[in-house]
Amino acid sequence: RVTQITAGPWLVSRLLWVDQRARQVYFAANGLVETDPYLRQLCRIGLDGNGFTRLTDDDLDHDAVSPPQGRYLLDRASSPSLPPRSVVLDGDGQVLVELETPDTEDLKILGWQPPERFQATAADGKTPIYGLLWPPHDLDPDRTYPIIEHIYPGPQLYRAGPMFNPPHYGEPEAFAALGFAVVAIDGRGSAGRSKAFHDHSYGDLG
């Protein structure tokens, strides 16, 4: 028999661990943080749909995995300016082991600066959309700068996520070092939001 376990104005982005003994499932969810629907939070719920519990409740993006046998979660929490802090969590979200807490000091020596997270309004005049802005290195507020829109959209993914080093492979940072301002935007029709947001590109990938 198939039954629905989760419900709400958010989506399950990754299944992490099914604890058959405790009859609970662990997962990552987008849409639980009001300020940014792309932030992933770690959650637990009973297989009967009861006992929904957030294991994380902050403004960081949580990229987690669990071994095949379960029992714990490896959580990497980050933001566009904060490198991933890697910890091992137990089934209640408590830290068992802190693995690493890197910083960005060596990057800053080389001229690196984090991208800025921003919110704008889509062409329909009402839908909030989110993106990242990489300012040009040595920004002079009295100058104007050419802007590069770093695109690679698609309904299968989102690319301007609120995590450290999203999947752009260093290109926006390289353009910023050359004196460009660079933006990446997750527009309507891309993944990670509601079905209505996703359906905007259905049958019309252009």
Side-chain angles (χ1 to χ4, degrees):
R1 187 168 68 96
V2 177
T3 59
Q4 181 174 336
I5 297 175
T6 61
W10 43 272
L11 63 87
V12 175
S13 56
R14 178 182 290 179
L15 180 65
L16 299 172
W17 165 28
V18 178
D19 187 340
Q20 295 284 5
R21 179 175 297 178
R23 303 293 295 166
Q24 294 174 323
V25 59
Y26 294 77
F27 58 93
N30 296 35
L32 290 168
V33 179
E34 184 176 354
T35 56
D36 193 326
Y38 293 93
L39 286 169
R40 294 171 290 181
Q41 298 288 301
L42 306 183
C43 307
R44 181 185 67 206
I45 194 170
L47 291 176
D48 60 0
N50 294 316
F52 172 75
T53 303
R54 286 181 61 173
L55 305 179
T56 57
D57 189 0
D58 53 30
D59 291 328
L60 298 176
D61 180 74
H62 291 266
D63 181 17
V65 294
S66 179
Q69 72 274 18
R71 297 203 304 270
Y72 62 86
L73 303 170
L74 174 58
D75 176 35
R76 300 169 70 247
S78 71
S79 73
S81 61
L82 183 69
R85 172 178 178 252
S86 300
V87 298
V88 178
L89 304 177
D90 67 13
D92 293 320
Q94 300 301 309
V95 176
L96 298 175
V97 181
E98 184 167 316
L99 299 175
E100 63 175 357
T101 305
D103 60 42
T104 59
E105 295 309 309
D106 289 343
L107 289 173
K108 290 177 180 177
I109 292 173
L110 298 174
W112 175 87
Q113 53 189 342
E116 301 171 11
R117 186 79 169 149
F118 68 87
Q119 176 183 333
T121 302
D124 63 0
K126 60 182 181 181
T127 303
I129 55 176
Y130 296 79
L132 293 170
L133 165 66
W134 287 262
H137 289 200
D138 301 319
L139 175 67
D140 181 349
D142 295 324
R143 284 187 54 195
T144 59
Y145 293 87
I147 298 174
I148 293 177
E149 183 183 5
H150 196 267
I151 62 171
Y152 198 92
Q156 76 278 16
L157 49 76
Y158 60 92
R159 300 181 67 251
M163 72 284 290
F164 192 80
N165 193 28
H168 302 109
Y169 308 107
E171 288 183 0
E173 177 65 23
F175 288 134
L178 292 172
F180 296 92
V182 185
V183 295
I185 302 171
D186 287 314
R188 290 173 297 162
S190 54
R193 300 276 293 272
S194 67
K195 187 176 187 304
F197 187 93
H198 202 185
D199 281 350
H200 184 72
S201 63
Y202 183 76
D204 185 12
L205 291 182

